[in-house]
Amino acid sequence: MTEADAEPGNAHPVRDRDCVRRPRTAVRLTRYAGLASVRAARLVRAARRWGLRVPPMVWDSLLPALLLLNIVTTRAPQELPVTVALTAALALPLVWRRLAPLTVFGAVAAAAFVQWLMNVQLPADIALLVALYTAAANSGRRGTLVAGVIVEAGVLLACLRWATEGAFLAPFVAVTAMVVSAAVLGVNVRTTRAYLAALEERAARLEQQQDQQARLAVAEERTRITREMHDIVTHNLSVMVALTDAAVYAQHRSPDKATTAMLQISETGRQALTDMRRSLGILRTDEPDAERHPLPGIAQLQTLADQMCAAGLPTRLEVQGGQTHIPATAQLTVYRLVQEALTNTLKHTPTGTHAKVRVRCSTETVTVDVTDSGPPLPGTPPPGHGIPGMRERAAAYGGKLQAGPLSGGGWRVHTRLDLGSSGATSA
């Protein structure tokens, strides 16, 4: 015994090498098996794609060809004329079974009856099951029932003639089971097709509804942006025009007042730009002004009143009740209603007109009342988008806007917003 054999670690050197080689062999076999499964899957997919490219009539021609080949190769020459003719009559109509299922079934059933009359047994009788399956898969319940009864009658006649004596029940039950299986398989195929068609129709309808909802959402968003831009631009431009006229009028007589008016014009312009960025910034996540500047609300009505006073429309504001519980969107609606009403007063009334704004806040409602002391105006509202936009804003909170002349002169805009209405959520 050598020293290497005497060492404990080298007692079985050959076995140790085998233990190292076996895992490597197992890994290689696993790898080869995985590659084989991948190749088999690729072959199956390729065969499926190739099969989809082949016309269905070609597949339907395989069974008649096989049945005719079987007759030609297995029957005696003296039997060929009759058997080939009957096999062709039974099998060849299957080529057009997808185009005219019931017609093909009738032709196959008639050929089978002639075969029974001539007392000739053929393997082509399987064409009856194929025709029954096609009729069940492409016709209604009545057609399937009639076809099944006809085939079952043929089964009964065939078993009565060709079944061996004393063995009628077994072949009759076996063939009847095949008939029922073909009919049930056809009905299942028809049901599956109808279900898939219903799913496709539902998917198309849902897609159309989603498309319509997207268009409605775009239209609503476009209307909202248009309304916001109208309120912002009309109000601020009206104030800027009034301040510009005052600055031009006072530039020689009172330069200090003209300078103040020009500064207010600049401030109004910057405020208009800020409001526009804020309104449009709601649609953009990268717009910083949307987060820096909150939406105007009831607390900003005093600033609005001071702005109107500077533009030449003395405005008095009364706010009753707390507004901390009122949602921001409702406060924005109140602010826009008051802003549009005062802008209309500034545009359509002469100098010296006074305006009064009264806002009453409660738990469930907010009442807005804007009046002015202008001269009597006709009952029709001024043309434009101002009052229709105000009606839309009020309707979002279940309110009805009342805008019209007062009996003693002036104009009044009144509405009451319902904070608990369903429309407040969509607003």
Side-chain angles (χ1 to χ4, degrees), residues 39-106:
R39 292 176 181 175
R42 290 178 181 176
L43 291 175
V44 170
R45 287 195 296 267
R48 185 177 301 176
R49 288 194 298 267
W50 180 80
L52 293 175
R53 295 176 183 176
V54 178
M57 190 171 292
V58 175
W59 295 113
D60 294 337
S61 303
L62 293 179
L63 181 61
L66 293 175
L67 293 175
L68 289 173
L69 182 62
N70 177 65
I71 290 297
V72 171
T73 56
T74 58
R75 296 293 175 132
Q78 62 273 16
E79 298 179 357
L80 285 181
V82 176
T83 55
V84 169
L86 291 176
T87 300
L90 286 169
L92 287 181
L94 296 180
V95 177
W96 299 275
R97 66 186 182 90
R98 300 177 192 266
L99 301 178
L102 295 179
T103 303
V104 168
F105 175 80

Side-chain angles (χ1 to χ4, degrees), residues 4-17:
D5 294 336
E7 293 180 2
N10 295 331
H12 303 284
V14 178
R15 293 183 181 179
D16 291 342
R17 287 195 298 271

Side-chain angles (χ1 to χ4, degrees), residues 137 187-203 205:
V187 171
N188 288 338
V189 170
R190 185 182 73 237
T191 305
T192 303
R193 290 175 182 172
Y195 178 71
L196 293 177
L199 287 181
E200 292 178 357
E201 182 182 359
R202 182 182 178 184
R205 187 168 58 251

Side-chain angles (χ1 to χ4, degrees), residues 5 14 68 70 85 96 116 147 190 260 284 315 343 375 407 422 426:
D5 294 336
V14 178
L68 289 173
N70 177 65
W96 299 275
W116 181 81
R190 185 182 73 237
T260 303
R284 298 176 54 186
T315 304
T343 302
S407 58
S422 58
S426 61

Side-chain angles (χ1 to χ4, degrees), residues 371-377 404-412:
T371 58
D372 62 65
S373 60
L377 295 175
L406 297 174
S407 58
W411 192 271
R412 182 192 183 198

Side-chain angles (χ1 to χ4, degrees), residues 21-326:
R21 290 176 181 176
R22 287 175 183 174
R24 293 180 182 178
T25 305
V27 170
R28 290 177 181 177
L29 291 176
T30 305
R31 185 179 302 173
Y32 291 152
L35 292 175
S37 61
V38 171
R39 292 176 181 175
R42 290 178 181 176
L43 291 175
V44 170
R45 287 195 296 267
R48 185 177 301 176
R49 288 194 298 267
W50 180 80
L52 293 175
R53 295 176 183 176
V54 178
M57 190 171 292
V58 175
W59 295 113
D60 294 337
S61 303
L62 293 179
L63 181 61
L66 293 175
L67 293 175
L68 289 173
L69 182 62
N70 177 65
I71 290 297
V72 171
T73 56
T74 58
R75 296 293 175 132
Q78 62 273 16
E79 298 179 357
L80 285 181
V82 176
T83 55
V84 169
L86 291 176
T87 300
L90 286 169
L92 287 181
L94 296 180
V95 177
W96 299 275
R97 66 186 182 90
R98 300 177 192 266
L99 301 178
L102 295 179
T103 303
V104 168
F105 175 80
V108 174
F113 183 68
V114 172
Q115 172 203 355
W116 181 81
L117 292 177
M118 296 180 67
N119 195 16
V120 178
Q121 298 186 43
L122 294 171
D125 290 333
I126 194 175
L128 272 173
L129 297 179
V130 178
L132 174 61
Y133 158 79
T134 306
N138 295 276
S139 61
R141 295 181 179 178
R142 182 177 300 178
T144 302
L145 182 61
V146 171
V149 170
I150 292 175
V151 175
E152 188 62 21
V155 170
L156 178 61
L157 293 177
C159 291
L160 288 175
R161 169 166 289 185
W162 294 316
T164 58
E165 186 176 357
F168 170 80
L169 186 60
F172 178 77
V173 172
V175 178
T176 300
M178 297 172 62
V179 171
V180 173
S181 300
V184 170
L185 183 60
V187 171
N188 288 338
V189 170
R190 185 182 73 237
T191 305
T192 303
R193 290 175 182 172
Y195 178 71
L196 293 177
L199 287 181
E200 292 178 357
E201 182 182 359
R202 182 182 178 184
R205 187 168 58 251
L206 288 176
E207 184 178 358
Q208 184 179 5
Q209 290 178 357
Q210 290 177 357
D211 207 17
Q212 292 177 353
Q213 290 176 358
R215 292 180 181 178
L216 290 175
V218 170
E220 290 178 0
E221 188 64 18
R222 185 178 300 171
T223 303
R224 184 196 69 80
I225 295 175
T226 303
R227 190 168 55 233
E228 288 290 327
M229 292 300 101
H230 171 270
D231 292 346
I232 294 172
V233 174
T234 303
H235 167 73
N236 289 284
L237 286 181
S238 300
V239 172
M240 293 172 70
V241 169
L243 290 173
T244 303
D245 293 340
V248 171
Y249 179 78
Q251 64 178 345
H252 298 295
R253 299 183 181 181
S254 181
D256 295 338
K257 292 184 178 180
T259 301
T260 303
M262 296 298 292
L263 292 175
Q264 291 177 349
I265 292 173
S266 178
E267 180 63 26
T268 302
R270 282 194 292 268
Q271 182 64 35
L273 290 176
T274 300
D275 290 344
M276 291 178 65
R277 290 196 187 102
R278 179 173 53 234
S279 298
L280 297 177
I282 296 176
L283 305 177
R284 298 176 54 186
T285 57
D286 58 345
E287 180 61 46
D289 285 335
E291 298 179 358
R292 282 205 303 262
H293 303 283
L295 295 174
I298 298 176
Q300 284 73 37
L301 288 178
Q302 185 59 51
T303 303
L304 177 64
D306 296 339
Q307 190 181 44
M308 300 307 295
C309 291
L313 178 63
T315 304
R316 188 177 65 178
L317 174 65
E318 293 182 7
V319 179
Q320 301 176 1
Q323 65 267 16
T324 56
H325 67 282
I326 300 176

